mmCIF file of all heavy atoms in Angstrom:
data_model
loop_
_atom_site.group_PDB
_atom_site.id
_atom_site.type_symbol
_atom_site.label_atom_id
_atom_site.label_comp_id
_atom_site.label_asym_id
_atom_site.label_seq_id
_atom_site.Cartn_x
_atom_site.Cartn_y
_atom_site.Cartn_z
ATOM 1 N N LEU A 252 0.927 -1.191 0.046
ATOM 2 C CA LEU A 252 -0.044 0.120 -0.026
ATOM 3 C C LEU A 252 0.943 1.245 0.015
ATOM 4 O O LEU A 252 0.526 2.227 -0.640
ATOM 5 C CB LEU A 252 -0.959 0.044 1.170
ATOM 6 C CG LEU A 252 -1.910 -1.098 1.212
ATOM 7 C CD1 LEU A 252 -2.758 -1.088 2.493
ATOM 8 C CD2 LEU A 252 -2.776 -1.247 0.095
ATOM 9 N N MET A 253 1.994 1.241 0.739
ATOM 10 C CA MET A 253 2.841 2.185 0.741
ATOM 11 C C MET A 253 3.467 2.614 -0.746
ATOM 12 O O MET A 253 3.571 3.698 -1.184
ATOM 13 C CB MET A 253 4.104 2.050 1.627
ATOM 14 C CG MET A 253 5.045 3.186 1.873
ATOM 15 S SD MET A 253 6.571 2.796 2.367
ATOM 16 C CE MET A 253 7.370 1.774 1.039
ATOM 17 N N LEU A 254 3.694 1.315 -1.462
ATOM 18 C CA LEU A 254 4.268 1.504 -2.866
ATOM 19 C C LEU A 254 3.200 2.280 -3.625
ATOM 20 O O LEU A 254 3.493 3.039 -4.521
ATOM 21 C CB LEU A 254 4.617 0.124 -3.319
ATOM 22 C CG LEU A 254 5.189 0.094 -4.714
ATOM 23 C CD1 LEU A 254 6.329 0.896 -4.806
ATOM 24 C CD2 LEU A 254 5.388 -1.321 -5.127
ATOM 25 N N LEU A 255 1.939 1.693 -3.568
ATOM 26 C CA LEU A 255 0.928 2.362 -4.396
ATOM 27 C C LEU A 255 0.668 3.726 -4.021
ATOM 28 O O LEU A 255 0.430 4.617 -4.913
ATOM 29 C CB LEU A 255 -0.299 1.517 -4.182
ATOM 30 C CG LEU A 255 -0.436 0.179 -4.679
ATOM 31 C CD1 LEU A 255 -1.668 -0.591 -4.477
ATOM 32 C CD2 LEU A 255 0.016 0.059 -6.130
ATOM 33 N N GLY A 256 0.735 4.083 -2.707
ATOM 34 C CA GLY A 256 0.613 5.566 -2.325
ATOM 35 C C GLY A 256 1.697 6.352 -2.934
ATOM 36 O O GLY A 256 1.483 7.596 -3.427
ATOM 37 N N THR A 257 2.936 5.847 -2.942
ATOM 38 C CA THR A 257 4.115 6.653 -3.505
ATOM 39 C C THR A 257 3.865 6.698 -5.060
ATOM 40 O O THR A 257 4.221 7.777 -5.643
ATOM 41 C CB THR A 257 5.428 5.851 -3.243
ATOM 42 O OG1 THR A 257 5.581 5.720 -1.910
ATOM 43 C CG2 THR A 257 6.602 6.595 -3.901
ATOM 44 N N LEU A 258 3.301 5.721 -5.742
ATOM 45 C CA LEU A 258 3.105 5.803 -7.108
ATOM 46 C C LEU A 258 1.986 6.873 -7.367
ATOM 47 O O LEU A 258 2.210 7.725 -8.322
ATOM 48 C CB LEU A 258 2.502 4.509 -7.657
ATOM 49 C CG LEU A 258 2.064 4.394 -9.000
ATOM 50 C CD1 LEU A 258 3.162 4.742 -9.931
ATOM 51 C CD2 LEU A 258 1.521 2.995 -9.256
ATOM 52 N N VAL A 259 1.048 7.004 -6.559
ATOM 53 C CA VAL A 259 0.078 8.201 -6.771
ATOM 54 C C VAL A 259 0.744 9.503 -6.501
ATOM 55 O O VAL A 259 0.487 10.485 -7.206
ATOM 56 C CB VAL A 259 -1.100 7.957 -5.871
ATOM 57 C CG1 VAL A 259 -2.117 9.147 -5.932
ATOM 58 C CG2 VAL A 259 -1.928 6.649 -6.156
ATOM 59 N N ARG A 260 1.601 9.614 -5.547
ATOM 60 C CA ARG A 260 2.247 10.826 -5.149
ATOM 61 C C ARG A 260 3.292 11.203 -6.240
ATOM 62 O O ARG A 260 3.501 12.306 -6.384
ATOM 63 C CB ARG A 260 3.046 10.787 -3.833
ATOM 64 C CG ARG A 260 2.041 10.857 -2.589
ATOM 65 C CD ARG A 260 2.727 10.988 -1.267
ATOM 66 N NE ARG A 260 3.594 9.891 -1.009
ATOM 67 C CZ ARG A 260 4.942 9.849 -1.150
ATOM 68 N NH1 ARG A 260 5.684 11.041 -1.542
ATOM 69 N NH2 ARG A 260 5.643 8.870 -0.883
ATOM 70 N N SER A 261 3.687 10.269 -7.001
ATOM 71 C CA SER A 261 4.724 10.523 -8.045
ATOM 72 C C SER A 261 4.025 11.370 -9.151
ATOM 73 O O SER A 261 4.810 12.157 -9.838
ATOM 74 C CB SER A 261 5.259 9.209 -8.637
ATOM 75 O OG SER A 261 4.206 8.495 -9.332
ATOM 76 N N PHE A 262 2.733 11.318 -9.290
ATOM 77 C CA PHE A 262 2.044 12.160 -10.365
ATOM 78 C C PHE A 262 1.990 13.596 -9.898
ATOM 79 O O PHE A 262 1.781 14.380 -10.723
ATOM 80 C CB PHE A 262 0.642 11.575 -10.596
ATOM 81 C CG PHE A 262 0.724 10.213 -11.392
ATOM 82 C CD1 PHE A 262 0.421 8.994 -10.581
ATOM 83 C CD2 PHE A 262 1.153 10.095 -12.717
ATOM 84 C CE1 PHE A 262 0.470 7.829 -11.262
ATOM 85 C CE2 PHE A 262 1.097 8.850 -13.367
ATOM 86 C CZ PHE A 262 0.813 7.682 -12.660
ATOM 87 N N ASP A 263 2.097 13.850 -8.610
ATOM 88 C CA ASP A 263 2.056 15.218 -8.184
ATOM 89 C C ASP A 263 3.534 15.781 -8.336
ATOM 90 O O ASP A 263 3.667 16.885 -8.686
ATOM 91 C CB ASP A 263 1.739 15.307 -6.628
ATOM 92 C CG ASP A 263 0.223 14.984 -6.438
ATOM 93 O OD1 ASP A 263 -0.668 15.247 -7.369
ATOM 94 O OD2 ASP A 263 -0.127 14.382 -5.387
ATOM 95 N N ALA A 264 4.517 15.085 -8.050
ATOM 96 C CA ALA A 264 5.776 15.493 -8.172
ATOM 97 C C ALA A 264 6.367 15.602 -9.603
ATOM 98 O O ALA A 264 6.927 16.529 -10.021
ATOM 99 C CB ALA A 264 6.844 14.619 -7.383
ATOM 100 N N MET A 265 5.917 14.541 -10.390
ATOM 101 C CA MET A 265 6.243 14.450 -11.834
ATOM 102 C C MET A 265 5.000 14.165 -12.543
ATOM 103 O O MET A 265 4.679 13.020 -12.774
ATOM 104 C CB MET A 265 7.310 13.505 -12.090
ATOM 105 C CG MET A 265 8.664 13.912 -11.504
ATOM 106 S SD MET A 265 10.045 12.745 -11.928
ATOM 107 C CE MET A 265 11.375 13.359 -11.048
ATOM 108 N N PRO A 266 4.303 15.148 -13.052
ATOM 109 C CA PRO A 266 3.004 14.867 -13.822
ATOM 110 C C PRO A 266 3.302 13.990 -15.080
ATOM 111 O O PRO A 266 4.371 13.844 -15.558
ATOM 112 C CB PRO A 266 2.451 16.181 -14.269
ATOM 113 C CG PRO A 266 3.100 17.272 -13.259
ATOM 114 C CD PRO A 266 4.461 16.576 -12.880
ATOM 115 N N PRO A 267 2.157 13.346 -15.549
ATOM 116 C CA PRO A 267 2.304 12.408 -16.646
ATOM 117 C C PRO A 267 2.962 13.333 -17.911
ATOM 118 O O PRO A 267 2.566 14.407 -18.192
ATOM 119 C CB PRO A 267 0.962 11.973 -17.045
ATOM 120 C CG PRO A 267 0.298 12.121 -15.687
ATOM 121 C CD PRO A 267 0.760 13.355 -15.046
ATOM 122 N N GLY A 268 3.989 12.722 -18.454
ATOM 123 C CA GLY A 268 4.644 13.357 -19.509
ATOM 124 C C GLY A 268 5.638 14.336 -19.275
ATOM 125 O O GLY A 268 6.239 15.099 -20.146
ATOM 126 N N ALA A 269 5.931 14.544 -17.996
ATOM 127 C CA ALA A 269 6.873 15.720 -17.507
ATOM 128 C C ALA A 269 7.926 15.113 -16.638
ATOM 129 O O ALA A 269 8.325 15.624 -15.686
ATOM 130 C CB ALA A 269 5.996 16.733 -16.810
ATOM 131 N N ILE A 270 8.472 13.882 -17.070
ATOM 132 C CA ILE A 270 9.482 13.181 -16.321
ATOM 133 C C ILE A 270 10.762 14.202 -16.562
ATOM 134 O O ILE A 270 11.221 14.383 -17.643
ATOM 135 C CB ILE A 270 9.746 11.806 -16.729
ATOM 136 C CG1 ILE A 270 8.416 11.090 -16.655
ATOM 137 C CG2 ILE A 270 10.741 11.152 -16.022
ATOM 138 C CD1 ILE A 270 7.890 10.943 -15.295
ATOM 139 N N VAL A 271 11.447 14.451 -15.375
ATOM 140 C CA VAL A 271 12.714 15.106 -15.397
ATOM 141 C C VAL A 271 13.682 14.192 -14.566
ATOM 142 O O VAL A 271 13.539 13.924 -13.469
ATOM 143 C CB VAL A 271 12.597 16.493 -14.678
ATOM 144 C CG1 VAL A 271 13.988 17.155 -14.757
ATOM 145 C CG2 VAL A 271 11.521 17.308 -15.714
ATOM 146 N N VAL A 272 14.822 13.892 -15.184
ATOM 147 C CA VAL A 272 15.871 13.016 -14.468
ATOM 148 C C VAL A 272 16.612 14.002 -13.513
ATOM 149 O O VAL A 272 17.206 15.026 -13.940
ATOM 150 C CB VAL A 272 16.706 12.425 -15.644
ATOM 151 C CG1 VAL A 272 17.822 11.665 -14.838
ATOM 152 C CG2 VAL A 272 16.026 11.631 -16.564
ATOM 153 N N GLN A 273 16.728 13.544 -12.353
ATOM 154 C CA GLN A 273 17.325 14.331 -11.214
ATOM 155 C C GLN A 273 18.879 14.047 -11.510
ATOM 156 O O GLN A 273 19.243 12.892 -11.807
ATOM 157 C CB GLN A 273 17.027 13.955 -9.965
ATOM 158 C CG GLN A 273 15.492 14.110 -9.625
ATOM 159 C CD GLN A 273 15.014 15.472 -9.773
ATOM 160 O OE1 GLN A 273 15.872 16.448 -9.288
ATOM 161 N NE2 GLN A 273 13.868 15.802 -10.179
ATOM 162 N N GLY A 274 19.683 15.064 -11.140
ATOM 163 C CA GLY A 274 21.110 14.885 -11.181
ATOM 164 C C GLY A 274 21.770 13.921 -10.225
ATOM 165 O O GLY A 274 22.787 13.330 -10.567
ATOM 166 N N GLY A 275 21.122 13.670 -9.000
ATOM 167 C CA GLY A 275 21.682 12.736 -8.085
ATOM 168 C C GLY A 275 21.177 11.332 -8.258
ATOM 169 O O GLY A 275 21.337 10.663 -7.233
ATOM 170 N N ILE A 276 20.672 10.939 -9.406
ATOM 171 C CA ILE A 276 20.125 9.478 -9.425
ATOM 172 C C ILE A 276 21.263 8.486 -9.219
ATOM 173 O O ILE A 276 21.133 7.403 -8.490
ATOM 174 C CB ILE A 276 19.539 9.413 -10.825
ATOM 175 C CG1 ILE A 276 18.184 10.246 -10.954
ATOM 176 C CG2 ILE A 276 18.987 7.927 -11.110
ATOM 177 C CD1 ILE A 276 17.221 9.786 -9.899
ATOM 178 N N SER A 277 22.402 8.795 -9.962
ATOM 179 C CA SER A 277 23.425 7.744 -9.848
ATOM 180 C C SER A 277 23.990 7.617 -8.355
ATOM 181 O O SER A 277 24.178 6.490 -7.875
ATOM 182 C CB SER A 277 24.607 8.170 -10.753
ATOM 183 O OG SER A 277 25.084 9.444 -10.425
ATOM 184 N N LEU A 278 24.090 8.693 -7.623
ATOM 185 C CA LEU A 278 24.521 8.726 -6.277
ATOM 186 C C LEU A 278 23.517 7.937 -5.389
ATOM 187 O O LEU A 278 23.804 7.272 -4.484
ATOM 188 C CB LEU A 278 24.731 10.091 -5.681
ATOM 189 C CG LEU A 278 25.802 10.837 -6.351
ATOM 190 C CD1 LEU A 278 25.883 12.240 -5.784
ATOM 191 C CD2 LEU A 278 27.124 10.282 -6.284
ATOM 192 N N MET A 279 22.153 8.182 -5.718
ATOM 193 C CA MET A 279 21.119 7.434 -5.002
ATOM 194 C C MET A 279 21.204 5.814 -5.264
ATOM 195 O O MET A 279 21.016 5.164 -4.352
ATOM 196 C CB MET A 279 19.769 7.890 -5.488
ATOM 197 C CG MET A 279 18.591 7.319 -4.644
ATOM 198 S SD MET A 279 17.006 7.630 -5.326
ATOM 199 C CE MET A 279 17.113 6.668 -6.894
ATOM 200 N N VAL A 280 21.502 5.517 -6.418
ATOM 201 C CA VAL A 280 21.516 4.066 -6.760
ATOM 202 C C VAL A 280 22.716 3.493 -6.034
ATOM 203 O O VAL A 280 22.747 2.422 -5.437
ATOM 204 C CB VAL A 280 21.688 3.842 -8.224
ATOM 205 C CG1 VAL A 280 22.013 2.396 -8.638
ATOM 206 C CG2 VAL A 280 20.509 4.273 -9.064
ATOM 207 N N ILE A 281 23.804 4.253 -6.026
ATOM 208 C CA ILE A 281 25.026 3.684 -5.247
ATOM 209 C C ILE A 281 24.747 3.550 -3.787
ATOM 210 O O ILE A 281 25.155 2.588 -3.113
ATOM 211 C CB ILE A 281 26.265 4.678 -5.458
ATOM 212 C CG1 ILE A 281 26.718 4.553 -6.950
ATOM 213 C CG2 ILE A 281 27.390 4.203 -4.531
ATOM 214 C CD1 ILE A 281 27.800 5.545 -7.318
ATOM 215 N N ALA A 282 23.982 4.557 -3.197
ATOM 216 C CA ALA A 282 23.555 4.424 -1.740
ATOM 217 C C ALA A 282 22.696 3.180 -1.470
ATOM 218 O O ALA A 282 22.834 2.627 -0.457
ATOM 219 C CB ALA A 282 22.881 5.775 -1.323
ATOM 220 N N ILE A 283 21.740 2.976 -2.383
ATOM 221 C CA ILE A 283 20.886 1.900 -2.306
ATOM 222 C C ILE A 283 21.627 0.539 -2.357
ATOM 223 O O ILE A 283 21.435 -0.490 -1.497
ATOM 224 C CB ILE A 283 19.737 1.932 -3.278
ATOM 225 C CG1 ILE A 283 18.795 3.152 -3.037
ATOM 226 C CG2 ILE A 283 18.859 0.668 -3.216
ATOM 227 C CD1 ILE A 283 17.848 3.247 -4.033
ATOM 228 N N LEU A 284 22.605 0.479 -3.301
ATOM 229 C CA LEU A 284 23.359 -0.838 -3.339
ATOM 230 C C LEU A 284 24.204 -1.041 -2.066
ATOM 231 O O LEU A 284 24.292 -2.126 -1.701
ATOM 232 C CB LEU A 284 24.276 -0.632 -4.622
ATOM 233 C CG LEU A 284 23.567 -0.831 -5.935
ATOM 234 C CD1 LEU A 284 24.660 -0.544 -7.071
ATOM 235 C CD2 LEU A 284 23.002 -2.250 -6.160
ATOM 236 N N LYS A 285 24.743 0.096 -1.554
ATOM 237 C CA LYS A 285 25.523 0.042 -0.380
ATOM 238 C C LYS A 285 24.575 -0.511 0.753
ATOM 239 O O LYS A 285 25.000 -1.368 1.639
ATOM 240 C CB LYS A 285 26.064 1.303 0.016
ATOM 241 C CG LYS A 285 26.810 1.430 1.346
ATOM 242 C CD LYS A 285 27.310 2.811 1.689
ATOM 243 C CE LYS A 285 27.979 2.855 3.010
ATOM 244 N NZ LYS A 285 28.351 4.240 3.302
ATOM 245 N N ALA A 286 23.409 0.108 0.895
ATOM 246 C CA ALA A 286 22.396 -0.367 1.992
ATOM 247 C C ALA A 286 22.092 -1.785 1.748
ATOM 248 O O ALA A 286 21.865 -2.508 2.668
ATOM 249 C CB ALA A 286 21.244 0.473 1.937
ATOM 250 N N MET A 287 21.912 -2.251 0.516
ATOM 251 C CA MET A 287 21.467 -3.603 0.288
ATOM 252 C C MET A 287 22.582 -4.601 0.807
ATOM 253 O O MET A 287 22.288 -5.526 1.532
ATOM 254 C CB MET A 287 21.369 -3.867 -1.245
ATOM 255 C CG MET A 287 20.940 -5.276 -1.691
ATOM 256 S SD MET A 287 21.019 -5.441 -3.455
ATOM 257 C CE MET A 287 22.829 -5.594 -3.575
ATOM 258 N N PHE A 288 23.898 -4.357 0.497
ATOM 259 C CA PHE A 288 24.879 -5.292 0.851
ATOM 260 C C PHE A 288 25.053 -5.185 2.480
ATOM 261 O O PHE A 288 25.205 -6.204 3.046
ATOM 262 C CB PHE A 288 26.257 -4.880 0.261
ATOM 263 C CG PHE A 288 26.339 -5.366 -1.167
ATOM 264 C CD1 PHE A 288 26.302 -4.468 -2.207
ATOM 265 C CD2 PHE A 288 26.514 -6.681 -1.427
ATOM 266 C CE1 PHE A 288 26.266 -4.915 -3.497
ATOM 267 C CE2 PHE A 288 26.631 -7.193 -2.749
ATOM 268 C CZ PHE A 288 26.564 -6.275 -3.695
ATOM 269 N N LEU A 289 24.885 -4.006 3.061
ATOM 270 C CA LEU A 289 25.108 -3.878 4.413
ATOM 271 C C LEU A 289 23.920 -4.691 5.146
ATOM 272 O O LEU A 289 24.130 -5.315 6.102
ATOM 273 C CB LEU A 289 25.019 -2.444 4.975
ATOM 274 C CG LEU A 289 26.248 -1.682 4.617
ATOM 275 C CD1 LEU A 289 26.115 -0.250 5.075
ATOM 276 C CD2 LEU A 289 27.477 -2.205 5.182
ATOM 277 N N LEU A 290 22.706 -4.594 4.730
ATOM 278 C CA LEU A 290 21.546 -5.170 5.277
ATOM 279 C C LEU A 290 21.794 -6.827 5.231
ATOM 280 O O LEU A 290 21.485 -7.546 6.165
ATOM 281 C CB LEU A 290 20.319 -4.808 4.645
ATOM 282 C CG LEU A 290 19.816 -3.534 5.024
ATOM 283 C CD1 LEU A 290 18.561 -3.145 4.196
ATOM 284 C CD2 LEU A 290 19.508 -3.321 6.386
ATOM 285 N N GLY A 291 22.125 -7.189 3.989
ATOM 286 C CA GLY A 291 22.420 -8.682 3.760
ATOM 287 C C GLY A 291 23.504 -9.167 4.639
ATOM 288 O O GLY A 291 23.356 -10.270 5.182
ATOM 289 N N ILE A 292 24.514 -8.541 4.717
ATOM 290 C CA ILE A 292 25.656 -8.943 5.657
ATOM 291 C C ILE A 292 25.197 -8.916 7.140
ATOM 292 O O ILE A 292 25.580 -9.942 7.923
ATOM 293 C CB ILE A 292 26.950 -8.091 5.437
ATOM 294 C CG1 ILE A 292 27.571 -8.324 4.050
ATOM 295 C CG2 ILE A 292 28.041 -8.519 6.479
ATOM 296 C CD1 ILE A 292 28.585 -7.350 3.647
ATOM 297 N N ARG A 293 24.646 -7.964 7.453
ATOM 298 C CA ARG A 293 23.981 -7.914 8.882
ATOM 299 C C ARG A 293 23.133 -9.062 9.222
ATOM 300 O O ARG A 293 23.195 -9.621 10.415
ATOM 301 C CB ARG A 293 23.460 -6.608 9.130
ATOM 302 C CG ARG A 293 24.286 -5.408 9.295
ATOM 303 C CD ARG A 293 23.602 -4.100 9.316
ATOM 304 N NE ARG A 293 22.591 -4.022 10.484
ATOM 305 C CZ ARG A 293 21.820 -3.041 10.574
ATOM 306 N NH1 ARG A 293 21.727 -2.066 9.682
ATOM 307 N NH2 ARG A 293 20.951 -3.044 11.703
ATOM 308 N N LEU A 294 22.304 -9.319 8.383
ATOM 309 C CA LEU A 294 21.345 -10.440 8.510
ATOM 310 C C LEU A 294 21.979 -11.839 8.519
ATOM 311 O O LEU A 294 21.570 -12.640 9.314
ATOM 312 C CB LEU A 294 20.311 -10.406 7.453
ATOM 313 C CG LEU A 294 19.125 -11.422 7.515
ATOM 314 C CD1 LEU A 294 18.330 -11.186 8.884
ATOM 315 C CD2 LEU A 294 18.183 -11.307 6.474
ATOM 316 N N ALA A 295 23.000 -11.961 7.768
ATOM 317 C CA ALA A 295 23.831 -13.188 7.714
ATOM 318 C C ALA A 295 24.858 -13.422 8.747
ATOM 319 O O ALA A 295 25.412 -14.448 8.970
ATOM 320 C CB ALA A 295 24.318 -13.368 6.298
ATOM 321 N N LEU A 296 25.262 -12.258 9.338
ATOM 322 C CA LEU A 296 26.545 -12.301 10.174
ATOM 323 C C LEU A 296 26.335 -13.228 11.455
ATOM 324 O O LEU A 296 27.325 -13.906 11.639
ATOM 325 C CB LEU A 296 26.726 -10.851 10.700
ATOM 326 C CG LEU A 296 28.195 -10.663 11.339
ATOM 327 C CD1 LEU A 296 29.173 -10.971 10.278
ATOM 328 C CD2 LEU A 296 28.374 -9.080 11.668
#
């Protein structure tokens, strides 16, 4: 439900047909990958 709510809110932030690529997308992806590995290692440790 949180995901669907975020999807609905995305139309307020970026209306249909007005997608704008943010400059920090690559840094965000790196941060998410880092968080993914840290969570996985913590769970398996």
Side-chain angles (χ1 to χ4, degrees):
L252 298 181
M253 185 199 72
L254 178 62
L255 294 178
T257 303
L258 175 58
V259 174
R260 287 191 295 106
S261 70
F262 290 104
D263 293 328
M265 294 185 181
I270 302 298
V271 178
V272 179
Q273 302 293 328
I276 293 295
S277 58
L278 296 178
M279 183 194 68
V280 173
I281 294 174
I283 292 174
L284 289 174
K285 175 184 176 181
M287 180 193 73
F288 281 105
L289 288 178
L290 287 175
I292 293 174
R293 286 171 57 187
L294 184 58
L296 196 58

